[in-house]
Amino acid sequence: MFKKILVANRGEIALRVIFACRELGIKTVAVYSEADENSLHVRFADEDICIGPARSSDSYLNVPAIISAAEITGADALHPGYGFLSESAYLAEVCEACHIRFIGPDPNVIRLLGDKAKARRAMKKAGVPMLPGSDGPVESEERATKIAQQIGYPVIIKAVAGGGGRGMRIVKQPADLPHAFKTAQREAESAFGVGDVYIEKYLESPRHIEFQILGDHHGNVVHLGERECSIQRRHQKLLEESPSVAVSDKVRRKMGALVVDAARAVQYTNAGTFEFLMDEKGNFYFMEVNTRVQVEHPVTEMVTGIDIVKEQIRVAAGARLGFKQSEVTFTGHAMECRINAEDPETFVPSPGMIHAFSVPGGPGVRVDTAAHSECLISPYYDSMVAKVIVHGRDRQESIARMRRVLEMSVVEGIRTTIPLHLKILNDPDFIAGRLSTHFMERFAAKPKTQPLAETA
Amino acid sequence: MFKKILVANRGEIALRVIFACRELGIKTVAVYSEADENSLHVRFADEDICIGPARSSDSYLNVPAIISAAEITGADALHPGYGFLSESAYLAEVCEACHIRFIGPDPNVIRLLGDKAKARRAMKKAGVPMLPGSDGPVESEERATKIAQQIGYPVIIKAVAGGGGRGMRIVKQPADLPHAFKTAQREAESAFGVGDVYIEKYLESPRHIEFQILGDHHGNVVHLGERECSIQRRHQKLLEESPSVAVSDKVRRKMGALVVDAARAVQYTNAGTFEFLMDEKGNFYFMEVNTRVQVEHPVTEMVTGIDIVKEQIRVAAGARLGFKQSEVTFTGHAMECRINAEDPETFVPSPGMIHAFSVPGGPGVRVDTAAHSECLISPYYDSMVAKVIVHGRDRQESIARMRRVLEMSVVEGIRTTIPLHLKILNDPDFIAGRLSTHFMERFAAKPKTQPLAETA
Amino acid sequence: MTLDEIKQLIEFIKGHDLNEFELEQDGVKIRIKSSSNHQVVAVPHLPAALPIVAAAPVAAPQTPAQVAAAAAEARAVADQAAEDGGELCIVKSPIVGTFYRSAEPGAEPFVSVGDTVKKGQVLCIIEAMKLMNEIDSEYDGEVTSIYIENGQAVQYGERLFAIKPSN
Amino acid sequence: MTLDEIKQLIEFIKGHDLNEFELEQDGVKIRIKSSSNHQVVAVPHLPAALPIVAAAPVAAPQTPAQVAAAAAEARAVADQAAEDGGELCIVKSPIVGTFYRSAEPGAEPFVSVGDTVKKGQVLCIIEAMKLMNEIDSEYDGEVTSIYIENGQAVQYGERLFAIKPSN
């Protein structure tokens, strides 16, 4: 087992890794930017090293500084957390070169799955269902029409270089294709300098369903079931749950086995997440693989009782997985709300000093946070203040529990998304489990069913 | 189901009841003394009534004030929590008379089991194993000698009126009996005005093992397994866990069935706890039945996933138990540490203002508390500040988890027993599960194995 | 300095648990003393309205500190009113129950504002557990205000009457 | 004095854990007494060691507030030293690594206390990821102190040298 792990992250996930290390009896090294000098991960690590100024590019994204910190403290492993450098094949390679164990998959696996096109090919080859479309750019309007006919309308035209909606067109019927194709190309050209576009099937109201896997260095891979993360805004997840109302035991076993095989096919090790879109008919379509621990990993920990971060550390150290697939059981229902320092209506970030911070406990409540009374939420990093996770015997109890926890939470000094979460938790469609990635749009559009109780 | 429940208690258990009510959609009424005006149970109840000055006898023990509070707020049920009036048959009767449902057993059951002698007889009749002894006072030295021979040495002589060690004598061999008998009588006489003493078998190093039961008004009674509470000081429990290392599945089933039958024999309803002493050979001896929810109920909730307080409310409202005995399963291991506002070495109470209060979360951690930063721990009531409960896959993980939580807890402004708990958690005998009700004596005697890390 | 500024200042000072604070500038002089358990002992010239506001069930959550501060002020003022050079004496409810101004529905109220009362005279009845409890005046004087409506519920320590003692 | 100014003043005083503060100037008189039980004591002209102490892992837990306070002082001192009427210029480490005073083991140190240095002159080497990074002086002046031992690890922003600029 490792002697000392450097935690190359900040905030709640840095603390989360420190929890796991302490429980395993492993020493920890915190790295921090000048802005985080007084944060809890620095306070509770055994050693701490300032690696740069507030700006992430000069600190938490600064590979030389982080590696030097590991070297001068003699850390024998590094946990990247999520975000920042957690999916950097480069960092993983440098660690290897410096004989520091990177707690995550092999650099080649990270690089392969980090490349959209390569990942699609590899996963397709491994039998993972794909969204039908033109693999690669479409030159002519004629080709476009042909492909659209093949995959069936509606289709979506996207810029190859693209992202963020520009150069994107949804086409409901053949008649609209030519015009849409041209404008998409034009927009792509002007926005990214490259006019290339590709065509994919468009899903009217898909759910975001993802499967958690764990693999060791002895060829063992298991899945820990799914999480539904359909409640998102601009691709930012707000609320996650497990199990999904839309996934039956049968489907869970089938898809679970499928992702386990796919992971084996690329010699996947450590923790990972396969993200899918699921259409109304229950068909799954591959999106991507995240080669790190995820923000929402606690909901899976709550229903399985497995400490994912501890397992990451154990398998990285060469140990075998602590359990077989047959020993993974799912109990009750878990839900996570991400509490962000944002205006609950405008989503404008609201950094600042938290004067009072208190989240009630009681049965089935877990809080992962680096916040406390009189702590400063700095404007330099993401706005997540806390993750509130609840576990209930069923989804109904989870919802009731989450409601009472958020209603009784006190966060003074900054604005948070707690009132937004309370609106979601009281929404009839949400309660009925009628979810899709468009939920928040529909939702935001709706008139307020009730005033925002300023619970926090 | 009830419309509005009056919570006749304060502190964390009042909050705990409010949690359950909110999750069940029931309105709550808090009652409070002038000293608790600003406490969280008042803040988070739907209504609140001041029922008297700080002194408990004039407020939390003031039946007329509490009943009036229920009447003027139109509460249709009352939850007594633990301590205060929770085992008052009188309160239960007045509630009945005023058509307020008392959330607990029937008054007659409370009265029966509240009377030491009556309870012993009833339980003996129901087949519960008793500590052999002279049922009732022993007049003559000759009788004493005879009885002692029958039950076998060592024996203990206790004052009938007694309590608190006075008039108590442990006798290891026949030769010492006459003298011990006389002194015990003399001490009893002077201490309590009554010289009557009785004789019981003395257990060298018993464990405190208790079984949690739940009964509804349809004749259904289930047990939720045992808790070991051997870590106590002056009969005050400090740390509780479930399951006990000393109880096998077989014994759990056997004793569980036994207490369920005993509960049925007295028409027990709602939540209750059968307390036993267990000797080295694994024999159980009845102590008493607690006819209320207990401080340590969360450890049972963690391993069973059952919300005991919600079940109390549901069955009091006439609902059937939500599950059968066969559906009660035990997962992993749970442990609770009671964090008291006391000096960790001298146990002198340390009330006052808490300036900083932060207990880390993460996987398997539950915190039940009414404390927060800038809150006042008043000198009028018991010194418990928080209950920290952890759940792990096994006892080893629970211990590691509890250690990291307590090491990373911050409670500033008052002294707490956290350092004491850390000593216990690092004690070889404790880690090995070699426990008895004498643990703390032996322990306190021991030289410190490590300095008290002033973690809080 | 406006009342609002003073209140802000008090909360701020409590938030930083200061023992004493004194400020003197262009005519205004303010002095605030606070003991470690956050009880504001004397706050000059706070309107009588504040305590009721502060004492009312907390609707919009505030920080515990704020609640403490507000409540402390409330108490302070109430007490002050009670002590303020014997200017006014406050009769508070000794029990929890329902407040009645007359012996039975429709009957004459025991007392009304402006009435002169003698020590021991019945001021009102508070019903608790079906029992009618007569509340007597502890003072000779004039009833200057009645805080509770007939038939309304009262808590322990709730203000019932203000009496201006004679001489 | 505006309310905000008063608040700032209190913040600052608390930040430095002063127990009493009194000020009287052109008509304004202010007096503040703090009940703070914080352990951190603000000593004027803190020793150079403190910043490092403050930055080092917190052994005995303190309240976040205390940690903040300590850190604040640390920063304050560093800055002060750096600005104090240009009296002293502090050269801080731009990177994380190992501090070497000479080009190779046994060689002459680049500079010693008392040496006069020119802008751009090499003061030391910091090794990071097997790379030797030369740290140059940003000032002409005299080296008055060297805060780090040869071969010791340094963090980003850690103080390396104090230089008294010539004229």
Short mmCIF file of all heavy atoms in Angstrom, two decimals, chain B residues 32 34 37-38 40 43 48-53 63-65 67-69 71-72 94 98 353 355 372-374 376, chain C residues 15 17 36-38 55 57-58 61-65 67-68 71 75 96-98 128-130 153-157:
data_model
loop_
_atom_site.label_atom_id
_atom_site.label_comp_id
_atom_site.label_asym_id
_atom_site.label_seq_id
_atom_site.Cartn_x
_atom_site.Cartn_y
_atom_site.Cartn_z
N TYR B 32 -40.51 25.04 24.48
CA TYR B 32 -39.15 25.39 24.91
C TYR B 32 -39.17 26.18 26.20
O TYR B 32 -40.16 26.82 26.55
CB TYR B 32 -38.44 26.18 23.82
CG TYR B 32 -39.04 27.53 23.50
CD1 TYR B 32 -38.51 28.70 24.05
CD2 TYR B 32 -40.14 27.64 22.65
CE1 TYR B 32 -39.07 29.94 23.75
CE2 TYR B 32 -40.70 28.88 22.36
CZ TYR B 32 -40.16 30.02 22.91
OH TYR B 32 -40.72 31.24 22.62
N GLU B 34 -37.29 29.20 28.56
CA GLU B 34 -36.70 30.51 28.24
C GLU B 34 -35.23 30.38 27.86
O GLU B 34 -34.71 31.15 27.07
CB GLU B 34 -36.87 31.46 29.43
CG GLU B 34 -38.30 31.96 29.57
CD GLU B 34 -38.48 32.87 30.77
OE1 GLU B 34 -37.79 32.67 31.79
OE2 GLU B 34 -39.32 33.78 30.68
N GLU B 37 -34.76 29.58 23.91
CA GLU B 37 -35.46 30.45 22.96
C GLU B 37 -34.85 30.43 21.55
O GLU B 37 -35.57 30.44 20.56
CB GLU B 37 -35.42 31.87 23.51
CG GLU B 37 -36.33 32.84 22.83
CD GLU B 37 -36.43 34.14 23.62
OE1 GLU B 37 -35.57 34.40 24.48
OE2 GLU B 37 -37.38 34.90 23.35
N ASN B 38 -33.52 30.34 21.48
CA ASN B 38 -32.87 30.45 20.17
C ASN B 38 -32.40 29.11 19.62
O ASN B 38 -31.56 29.07 18.71
CB ASN B 38 -31.67 31.40 20.27
CG ASN B 38 -32.09 32.75 20.80
OD1 ASN B 38 -33.12 33.28 20.40
ND2 ASN B 38 -31.32 33.27 21.74
N LEU B 40 -32.39 25.34 17.76
CA LEU B 40 -32.83 24.95 16.42
C LEU B 40 -34.20 24.27 16.42
O LEU B 40 -34.94 24.40 15.45
CB LEU B 40 -31.79 24.04 15.76
CG LEU B 40 -30.48 24.71 15.35
CD1 LEU B 40 -29.60 23.72 14.60
CD2 LEU B 40 -30.74 25.94 14.48
N ARG B 43 -36.61 26.90 16.10
CA ARG B 43 -36.52 27.57 14.81
C ARG B 43 -37.18 26.76 13.69
O ARG B 43 -37.80 27.32 12.80
CB ARG B 43 -35.05 27.78 14.48
CG ARG B 43 -34.83 28.31 13.10
CD ARG B 43 -33.41 28.75 12.98
NE ARG B 43 -33.15 29.22 11.63
CZ ARG B 43 -32.04 29.80 11.28
NH1 ARG B 43 -31.10 30.00 12.19
NH2 ARG B 43 -31.85 30.19 10.05
N ASP B 48 -44.15 27.28 17.85
CA ASP B 48 -43.37 27.07 19.08
C ASP B 48 -44.02 27.80 20.23
O ASP B 48 -44.59 28.87 20.07
CB ASP B 48 -41.94 27.55 18.88
CG ASP B 48 -41.90 28.98 18.38
OD1 ASP B 48 -41.96 29.19 17.15
OD2 ASP B 48 -41.83 29.88 19.23
N ILE B 49 -43.98 27.16 21.39
CA ILE B 49 -44.60 27.69 22.59
C ILE B 49 -43.59 27.66 23.74
O ILE B 49 -43.01 26.61 24.03
CB ILE B 49 -45.81 26.82 23.01
CG1 ILE B 49 -46.84 26.75 21.88
CG2 ILE B 49 -46.42 27.34 24.30
CD1 ILE B 49 -47.61 28.03 21.66
N CYS B 50 -43.40 28.82 24.37
CA CYS B 50 -42.55 28.86 25.56
C CYS B 50 -43.36 28.31 26.72
O CYS B 50 -44.48 28.77 26.97
CB CYS B 50 -42.10 30.29 25.85
SG CYS B 50 -41.08 30.41 27.33
N ILE B 51 -42.84 27.30 27.42
CA ILE B 51 -43.64 26.64 28.47
C ILE B 51 -43.09 26.89 29.86
O ILE B 51 -43.65 26.35 30.83
CB ILE B 51 -43.71 25.12 28.23
CG1 ILE B 51 -42.31 24.53 28.06
CG2 ILE B 51 -44.60 24.81 27.05
CD1 ILE B 51 -42.28 23.02 28.10
N GLY B 52 -42.05 27.69 29.99
CA GLY B 52 -41.57 27.96 31.35
C GLY B 52 -40.14 28.41 31.39
O GLY B 52 -39.49 28.56 30.35
N PRO B 53 -39.65 28.64 32.61
CA PRO B 53 -38.27 29.09 32.79
C PRO B 53 -37.28 27.95 32.54
O PRO B 53 -37.68 26.82 32.26
CB PRO B 53 -38.23 29.54 34.25
CG PRO B 53 -39.29 28.72 34.92
CD PRO B 53 -40.36 28.51 33.89
N VAL B 63 -46.00 19.02 33.12
CA VAL B 63 -47.07 18.38 32.33
C VAL B 63 -48.20 19.35 31.95
O VAL B 63 -48.57 19.46 30.79
CB VAL B 63 -47.62 17.13 33.05
CG1 VAL B 63 -48.85 16.58 32.33
CG2 VAL B 63 -46.54 16.05 33.16
N PRO B 64 -48.76 20.10 32.93
CA PRO B 64 -49.85 21.01 32.53
C PRO B 64 -49.44 21.98 31.42
O PRO B 64 -50.19 22.20 30.47
CB PRO B 64 -50.12 21.78 33.84
CG PRO B 64 -49.66 20.87 34.92
CD PRO B 64 -48.48 20.14 34.36
N ALA B 65 -48.22 22.55 31.53
CA ALA B 65 -47.79 23.51 30.51
C ALA B 65 -47.70 22.84 29.14
O ALA B 65 -48.13 23.40 28.13
CB ALA B 65 -46.43 24.10 30.90
N ILE B 67 -49.27 20.10 28.11
CA ILE B 67 -50.61 19.73 27.61
C ILE B 67 -51.33 20.98 27.11
O ILE B 67 -51.94 20.98 26.03
CB ILE B 67 -51.43 19.03 28.72
CG1 ILE B 67 -50.78 17.69 29.08
CG2 ILE B 67 -52.87 18.82 28.27
CD1 ILE B 67 -50.82 16.64 27.98
N SER B 68 -51.24 22.09 27.86
CA SER B 68 -51.86 23.33 27.40
C SER B 68 -51.30 23.74 26.04
O SER B 68 -52.04 24.16 25.16
CB SER B 68 -51.62 24.45 28.41
OG SER B 68 -52.04 24.08 29.67
N ALA B 69 -49.99 23.59 25.91
CA ALA B 69 -49.35 23.96 24.64
C ALA B 69 -49.95 23.13 23.51
O ALA B 69 -50.24 23.64 22.42
CB ALA B 69 -47.85 23.75 24.72
N GLU B 71 -52.90 21.80 23.51
CA GLU B 71 -54.30 22.20 23.31
C GLU B 71 -54.42 23.50 22.53
O GLU B 71 -55.18 23.59 21.57
CB GLU B 71 -55.01 22.32 24.66
CG GLU B 71 -55.34 20.95 25.24
CD GLU B 71 -56.03 21.05 26.60
OE1 GLU B 71 -55.79 22.05 27.32
OE2 GLU B 71 -56.80 20.13 26.95
N ILE B 72 -53.64 24.52 22.90
CA ILE B 72 -53.80 25.81 22.21
C ILE B 72 -53.29 25.76 20.78
O ILE B 72 -53.67 26.57 19.95
CB ILE B 72 -53.13 26.98 22.98
CG1 ILE B 72 -51.62 26.82 23.05
CG2 ILE B 72 -53.72 27.10 24.37
CD1 ILE B 72 -50.94 27.99 23.74
N VAL B 94 -52.60 11.51 30.85
CA VAL B 94 -53.21 12.83 30.63
C VAL B 94 -53.44 13.04 29.13
O VAL B 94 -54.49 13.53 28.71
CB VAL B 94 -52.31 13.95 31.20
CG1 VAL B 94 -52.91 15.31 30.92
CG2 VAL B 94 -52.13 13.75 32.70
N CYS B 98 -56.95 13.79 27.25
CA CYS B 98 -57.14 15.01 26.45
C CYS B 98 -57.21 14.69 24.96
O CYS B 98 -57.13 15.60 24.13
CB CYS B 98 -56.00 15.99 26.73
SG CYS B 98 -55.91 16.49 28.44
N MET B 353 -20.33 29.05 25.05
CA MET B 353 -20.59 29.40 23.66
C MET B 353 -19.66 28.60 22.75
O MET B 353 -18.45 28.58 22.97
CB MET B 353 -20.37 30.90 23.46
CG MET B 353 -20.51 31.40 22.03
SD MET B 353 -22.23 31.34 21.43
CE MET B 353 -22.96 32.61 22.46
N HIS B 355 -17.84 28.55 19.45
CA HIS B 355 -17.49 29.57 18.46
C HIS B 355 -17.33 28.98 17.07
O HIS B 355 -17.68 29.60 16.07
CB HIS B 355 -16.22 30.30 18.89
CG HIS B 355 -16.42 31.07 20.16
ND1 HIS B 355 -17.34 32.09 20.25
CD2 HIS B 355 -15.88 30.93 21.39
CE1 HIS B 355 -17.32 32.58 21.48
NE2 HIS B 355 -16.47 31.87 22.20
N HIS B 372 -24.33 24.30 16.57
CA HIS B 372 -23.85 24.97 15.36
C HIS B 372 -22.88 26.06 15.82
O HIS B 372 -22.78 26.35 17.02
CB HIS B 372 -25.02 25.57 14.58
CG HIS B 372 -25.91 26.44 15.41
ND1 HIS B 372 -25.57 27.73 15.78
CD2 HIS B 372 -27.10 26.19 16.02
CE1 HIS B 372 -26.53 28.25 16.52
NE2 HIS B 372 -27.48 27.33 16.69
N SER B 373 -22.17 26.67 14.86
CA SER B 373 -21.26 27.75 15.24
C SER B 373 -22.05 28.85 15.92
O SER B 373 -23.17 29.15 15.51
CB SER B 373 -20.56 28.30 13.99
OG SER B 373 -19.68 27.34 13.47
N GLU B 374 -21.44 29.43 16.94
CA GLU B 374 -22.09 30.52 17.68
C GLU B 374 -23.35 30.08 18.40
O GLU B 374 -24.32 30.82 18.47
CB GLU B 374 -22.42 31.70 16.74
CG GLU B 374 -21.21 32.29 16.04
CD GLU B 374 -20.13 32.76 17.00
OE1 GLU B 374 -20.46 33.20 18.11
OE2 GLU B 374 -18.95 32.62 16.64
N LEU B 376 -25.04 28.42 22.04
CA LEU B 376 -24.74 28.36 23.47
C LEU B 376 -25.13 27.00 24.03
O LEU B 376 -26.27 26.57 23.85
CB LEU B 376 -25.53 29.46 24.19
CG LEU B 376 -25.18 29.69 25.66
CD1 LEU B 376 -23.77 30.27 25.79
CD2 LEU B 376 -26.19 30.67 26.29
N GLY C 15 -21.61 39.76 16.23
CA GLY C 15 -20.97 38.81 15.33
C GLY C 15 -19.48 38.69 15.63
O GLY C 15 -18.84 37.69 15.35
N ASP C 17 -18.19 39.09 18.70
CA ASP C 17 -18.23 39.09 20.17
C ASP C 17 -17.26 40.07 20.82
O ASP C 17 -16.20 39.74 21.30
CB ASP C 17 -18.11 37.67 20.76
CG ASP C 17 -16.88 36.92 20.28
OD1 ASP C 17 -15.85 37.06 20.90
OD2 ASP C 17 -16.98 36.21 19.25
N SER C 36 -20.15 37.59 27.48
CA SER C 36 -19.71 36.53 26.58
C SER C 36 -20.89 35.74 26.03
O SER C 36 -20.87 35.25 24.93
CB SER C 36 -18.77 35.58 27.33
OG SER C 36 -19.45 35.08 28.46
N ASN C 37 -22.00 35.62 26.79
CA ASN C 37 -23.12 34.82 26.27
C ASN C 37 -24.10 35.68 25.47
O ASN C 37 -25.29 35.39 25.39
CB ASN C 37 -23.82 34.07 27.40
CG ASN C 37 -24.54 35.03 28.34
OD1 ASN C 37 -24.38 36.24 28.18
ND2 ASN C 37 -25.32 34.50 29.25
N HIS C 38 -23.58 36.77 24.92
CA HIS C 38 -24.34 37.52 23.91
C HIS C 38 -25.67 38.06 24.40
O HIS C 38 -26.68 37.91 23.73
CB HIS C 38 -24.58 36.62 22.69
CG HIS C 38 -23.38 36.55 21.81
ND1 HIS C 38 -23.43 36.13 20.51
CD2 HIS C 38 -22.09 36.89 22.05
CE1 HIS C 38 -22.21 36.17 20.00
NE2 HIS C 38 -21.39 36.62 20.91
N ALA C 55 -39.34 38.64 18.58
CA ALA C 55 -39.76 37.45 19.32
C ALA C 55 -40.63 36.53 18.46
O ALA C 55 -40.74 35.35 18.71
CB ALA C 55 -40.53 37.85 20.57
N PRO C 57 -42.09 33.98 15.68
CA PRO C 57 -41.44 32.82 15.06
C PRO C 57 -40.63 33.24 13.84
O PRO C 57 -41.09 34.05 13.05
CB PRO C 57 -42.61 31.92 14.66
CG PRO C 57 -43.77 32.39 15.46
CD PRO C 57 -43.50 33.77 15.92
N VAL C 58 -39.41 32.72 13.74
CA VAL C 58 -38.51 33.14 12.66
C VAL C 58 -39.04 32.64 11.33
O VAL C 58 -39.05 31.44 11.06
CB VAL C 58 -37.10 32.55 12.89
CG1 VAL C 58 -36.16 33.06 11.81
CG2 VAL C 58 -36.60 32.98 14.27
N PRO C 61 -35.27 32.49 7.40
CA PRO C 61 -34.15 32.09 8.25
C PRO C 61 -33.14 33.23 8.42
O PRO C 61 -32.95 34.03 7.52
CB PRO C 61 -33.52 30.92 7.48
CG PRO C 61 -34.62 30.41 6.61
CD PRO C 61 -35.44 31.62 6.26
N GLN C 62 -32.57 33.33 9.59
CA GLN C 62 -31.47 34.25 9.81
C GLN C 62 -30.34 33.40 10.37
O GLN C 62 -30.53 32.24 10.67
CB GLN C 62 -31.87 35.29 10.85
CG GLN C 62 -33.24 35.90 10.60
CD GLN C 62 -33.68 36.75 11.79
OE1 GLN C 62 -32.87 37.14 12.60
NE2 GLN C 62 -34.95 37.00 11.88
N THR C 63 -29.16 33.98 10.50
CA THR C 63 -28.09 33.20 11.10
C THR C 63 -28.42 33.04 12.57
O THR C 63 -29.02 33.93 13.16
CB THR C 63 -26.74 33.93 11.01
OG1 THR C 63 -26.81 35.05 11.89
CG2 THR C 63 -26.45 34.40 9.60
N PRO C 64 -28.03 31.91 13.15
CA PRO C 64 -28.24 31.74 14.58
C PRO C 64 -27.77 32.99 15.33
O PRO C 64 -28.47 33.52 16.19
CB PRO C 64 -27.36 30.53 14.90
CG PRO C 64 -27.36 29.73 13.62
CD PRO C 64 -27.42 30.78 12.52
N ALA C 65 -26.62 33.52 14.94
CA ALA C 65 -26.09 34.70 15.62
C ALA C 65 -27.12 35.82 15.58
O ALA C 65 -27.46 36.41 16.60
CB ALA C 65 -24.80 35.16 14.94
N VAL C 67 -30.38 35.64 15.06
CA VAL C 67 -31.51 35.30 15.91
C VAL C 67 -31.16 35.62 17.35
O VAL C 67 -31.86 36.34 18.04
CB VAL C 67 -31.86 33.79 15.77
CG1 VAL C 67 -33.03 33.46 16.70
CG2 VAL C 67 -32.20 33.47 14.33
N ALA C 68 -30.01 35.13 17.79
CA ALA C 68 -29.57 35.36 19.16
C ALA C 68 -29.59 36.86 19.45
O ALA C 68 -30.23 37.32 20.38
CB ALA C 68 -28.16 34.83 19.36
N ALA C 71 -33.17 38.30 19.51
CA ALA C 71 -33.88 37.84 20.70
C ALA C 71 -33.32 38.54 21.93
O ALA C 71 -34.07 39.06 22.76
CB ALA C 71 -33.72 36.33 20.84
N ARG C 75 -35.46 40.66 24.71
CA ARG C 75 -35.49 40.47 26.15
C ARG C 75 -35.03 41.75 26.83
O ARG C 75 -35.71 42.31 27.67
CB ARG C 75 -34.57 39.30 26.52
CG ARG C 75 -34.53 39.03 28.01
CD ARG C 75 -34.22 37.56 28.30
NE ARG C 75 -34.97 36.71 27.40
CZ ARG C 75 -36.29 36.60 27.43
NH1 ARG C 75 -37.01 37.30 28.29
NH2 ARG C 75 -36.89 35.79 26.58
N VAL C 96 -49.06 28.67 30.37
CA VAL C 96 -49.47 28.56 28.98
C VAL C 96 -50.97 28.32 28.95
O VAL C 96 -51.48 27.52 29.74
CB VAL C 96 -48.77 27.37 28.30
CG1 VAL C 96 -49.20 27.25 26.84
CG2 VAL C 96 -47.27 27.53 28.41
N GLY C 97 -51.70 29.02 28.12
CA GLY C 97 -53.14 28.77 28.05
C GLY C 97 -53.86 29.77 27.17
O GLY C 97 -53.25 30.42 26.34
N THR C 98 -55.18 29.89 27.40
CA THR C 98 -56.00 30.81 26.62
C THR C 98 -56.43 31.98 27.49
O THR C 98 -56.87 31.80 28.63
CB THR C 98 -57.23 30.09 26.06
OG1 THR C 98 -56.80 28.89 25.43
CG2 THR C 98 -57.96 30.96 25.05
N ALA C 128 -56.17 26.77 31.27
CA ALA C 128 -55.17 25.75 30.95
C ALA C 128 -55.72 24.41 31.42
O ALA C 128 -56.16 24.30 32.57
CB ALA C 128 -53.85 26.06 31.65
N MET C 129 -55.75 23.42 30.54
CA MET C 129 -56.27 22.10 30.88
C MET C 129 -57.64 22.23 31.53
O MET C 129 -57.86 21.72 32.64
CB MET C 129 -55.29 21.37 31.79
CG MET C 129 -54.00 21.05 31.10
SD MET C 129 -52.88 20.22 32.22
CE MET C 129 -53.65 18.59 32.26
N LYS C 130 -58.55 22.96 30.90
CA LYS C 130 -59.93 23.09 31.34
C LYS C 130 -60.05 23.83 32.68
O LYS C 130 -61.13 23.92 33.24
CB LYS C 130 -60.60 21.70 31.48
CG LYS C 130 -60.34 20.79 30.29
CD LYS C 130 -61.38 20.92 29.21
CE LYS C 130 -60.95 20.19 27.95
NZ LYS C 130 -59.80 20.86 27.26
N ALA C 153 -54.36 32.66 22.52
CA ALA C 153 -53.46 31.79 23.29
C ALA C 153 -52.25 32.59 23.76
O ALA C 153 -51.80 33.51 23.07
CB ALA C 153 -52.98 30.63 22.42
N VAL C 154 -51.77 32.28 24.95
CA VAL C 154 -50.57 32.94 25.46
C VAL C 154 -49.55 31.90 25.90
O VAL C 154 -49.91 30.82 26.35
CB VAL C 154 -50.89 33.86 26.66
CG1 VAL C 154 -51.74 35.05 26.21
CG2 VAL C 154 -51.59 33.09 27.77
N GLN C 155 -48.28 32.27 25.72
CA GLN C 155 -47.19 31.42 26.15
C GLN C 155 -46.76 31.84 27.55
O GLN C 155 -47.15 32.90 28.04
CB GLN C 155 -45.99 31.57 25.22
CG GLN C 155 -46.31 31.48 23.75
CD GLN C 155 -45.06 31.51 22.90
OE1 GLN C 155 -43.95 31.33 23.39
NE2 GLN C 155 -45.24 31.75 21.61
N TYR C 156 -45.88 31.01 28.13
CA TYR C 156 -45.27 31.39 29.40
C TYR C 156 -44.45 32.65 29.17
O TYR C 156 -43.75 32.78 28.18
CB TYR C 156 -44.36 30.27 29.91
CG TYR C 156 -43.53 30.69 31.10
CD1 TYR C 156 -44.04 30.58 32.40
CD2 TYR C 156 -42.26 31.23 30.93
CE1 TYR C 156 -43.30 31.00 33.49
CE2 TYR C 156 -41.51 31.65 32.03
CZ TYR C 156 -42.04 31.52 33.29
OH TYR C 156 -41.29 31.95 34.37
N GLY C 157 -44.61 33.61 30.09
CA GLY C 157 -43.79 34.82 30.03
C GLY C 157 -44.26 35.85 29.02
O GLY C 157 -43.63 36.88 28.85
#
